[in-house]
Amino acid sequence: MIEVFKEFYFSFVKEDEFKEDSVREVLLVPILDKLGYKSYGTYTVERTKVLVHPLDY
């Protein structure tokens, strides 16, 4: 297990308040940080991307 989550209370993810943004910030960001991804530089992470439907005018 990643050291970042050594004391993480995983039952917390079952609560209704733990939504997608919480998963991203609490679980994924520490993993991406350990892997060396940043919001700048060679290995970047796009946090928000607008999805365009081909038939949406």
Side-chain angles (χ1 to χ4, degrees), residues 4-57:
V4 174
F5 302 124
K6 187 175 181 181
E7 296 181 23
F8 185 76
Y9 180 58
F10 280 96
S11 299
F12 180 67
V13 299
K14 295 179 183 178
E15 295 181 14
D16 290 338
E17 294 81 26
F18 201 81
K19 301 200 184 313
E20 178 198 354
D21 59 335
S22 300
V23 170
R24 182 176 53 245
E25 293 303 316
V26 175
L27 297 175
L28 296 180
V29 169
I31 293 171
L32 293 172
D33 285 345
K34 288 284 187 185
L35 291 173
Y37 287 92
K38 305 282 183 221
S39 58
Y40 56 87
T42 305
Y43 304 106
T44 61
V45 175
E46 289 186 36
R47 294 199 177 238
T48 305
K49 189 160 184 123
V50 176
L51 299 178
V52 179
H53 190 280
L55 301 178
D56 188 21
Y57 302 105

